[in-house]
Amino acid sequence: MPVWVSAGLWGLLGASSLVVGAAVAYLATLPRWLTASIMSFGCGVLISAVAYDLLEDGYQEGGILPIAAGALVGSVAYAFADHVVSKRGAHHRKQSGNRQRQAGKGGGMAIAIGSLLDGIPESVVLGLSLLSGKGVSVAMLGAIFLSNFPEGLSSAVGMRNAGRSASYVFALWITIAVLSGLSSLCGAAFLQGASPQLTATVNAVAAGALLTMVVNTMIPEGSKRSRACLW
C-alpha cells in the first residue's frame, strides 16, 4: 500500500473519534468529571507527543533555528485563523453548555470550520510520521484520538441543544473526519521524498499550531469542566 494511502487511513482513524464522541452524546450522558478527565489526559499526551515526537526529533534533523521559526509561524498562523473563525461563532466549539446554544443556527458551520482548523495540523503530523519509515507514531495517534473524542461529544451536545438534527450533526463530523484524513494523505503525498530538514520544519509548524490549539481551547475547557465537577 502506498505511504500516502496509509497516511490518509491513519488520519481518518485519528479523526474518527469525533464521530464516536458525537454518537456517545446521542446514546448516553457522560458525567462531567469523565469528559474532563478524557480531555485533560488527551492534553497531556498531545503535549508530550508534540515535544518528543516532533520538536525533539526535528531538532536532531534540522537544528534549532528552523524548528523554533517553524513552531512560531505555526502558532501565529493558528492563532490568527482561530481568531477569525471564533468571531463567526466557533469560539465555544469544545463546550457543551449554553454558550453553543447562544451561537444560534449560524454557529454550526463556524464550529465545523473551527474543528477542521484543529484537525489539519494533527492530520498532517500523522501523515509525515510515516515518511520516516518507522511507521505511524502510536503516541501521536493516541493523543489525537483522545483529544478529538471529547470535542465531538461536547460539540454534538451543544449543537443538539441549539436545535440541530442528528443527521446534520453526524454529517458534519463525518465530513470533518474525511477531510482530516485527506489532510494526512496530502501531507505524506506532497512531502514524500523531501529532505529531512524540510520535513522537520513542516512538523515544527504543525507542532506550533497544535500547542496553541491545546492551550487556547482544550486546557481552558478541561479546567472549566474539572472545576464544575467539584461543585
Side-chain angles (χ1 to χ4, degrees), residues 46 118-127 140 144 147-148 210 213:
L46 195 56
D118 297 341
I120 286 176
E122 298 174 345
S123 301
V124 169
V125 163
L126 276 182
M140 184 63 68
I144 291 172
S147 66
N148 281 334
L210 280 176
M213 182 269 288

Side-chain angles (χ1 to χ4, degrees), residues 37-51 143 214 218-219:
S37 299
I38 294 172
M39 183 169 286
S40 300
F41 184 76
C43 286
V45 177
L46 195 56
I47 291 172
S48 299
V50 167
V214 169
M218 291 184 66
I219 290 178

Side-chain angles (χ1 to χ4, degrees), residues 15-101:
S16 66
S17 58
L18 288 167
V19 184
V20 175
V24 170
Y26 277 86
L27 295 175
T29 301
L30 296 184
R32 285 188 173 186
W33 67 264
L34 181 56
T35 54
S37 299
I38 294 172
M39 183 169 286
S40 300
F41 184 76
C43 286
V45 177
L46 195 56
I47 291 172
S48 299
V50 167
Y52 291 105
D53 283 5
L54 298 182
L55 296 181
E56 184 179 18
D57 290 349
Y59 170 74
Q60 300 296 329
E61 296 288 349
I64 187 62
L65 185 59
I67 297 306
L72 180 61
V73 169
S75 178
V76 172
Y78 177 89
F80 175 77
D82 180 68
H83 174 73
V84 172
V85 299
S86 293
K87 298 290 273 186
R88 298 180 179 275
H91 181 64
H92 304 293
R93 60 185 176 272
K94 292 183 183 293
Q95 300 181 12
S96 58
N98 293 329
R99 296 291 183 87
Q100 282 198 32
R101 190 183 298 117

Side-chain angles (χ1 to χ4, degrees), residues 115-217:
S115 298
L116 183 60
L117 175 66
D118 297 341
I120 286 176
E122 298 174 345
S123 301
V124 169
V125 163
L126 276 182
L128 294 182
S129 70
L130 294 176
L131 298 183
S132 64
K134 300 177 183 178
V136 70
S137 170
V138 176
M140 184 63 68
L141 176 64
I144 291 172
F145 191 91
L146 287 173
S147 66
N148 281 334
F149 175 80
E151 179 173 357
L153 186 149
S154 59
S155 293
V157 170
M159 285 189 281
R160 182 185 63 186
N161 292 341
R164 294 292 186 179
S165 66
S167 59
Y168 174 90
V169 173
F170 282 103
L172 201 59
W173 289 126
I174 290 172
T175 300
I176 293 172
V178 170
L179 290 176
S180 297
L182 290 175
S183 298
S184 183
L185 182 152
C186 291
F190 292 151
L191 290 173
Q192 193 169 10
S195 66
Q197 291 77 15
L198 177 58
T199 302
T201 301
V202 174
N203 268 330
V205 173
L210 280 176
L211 288 176
T212 305
M213 182 269 288
V214 169
V215 172
N216 191 47
T217 59

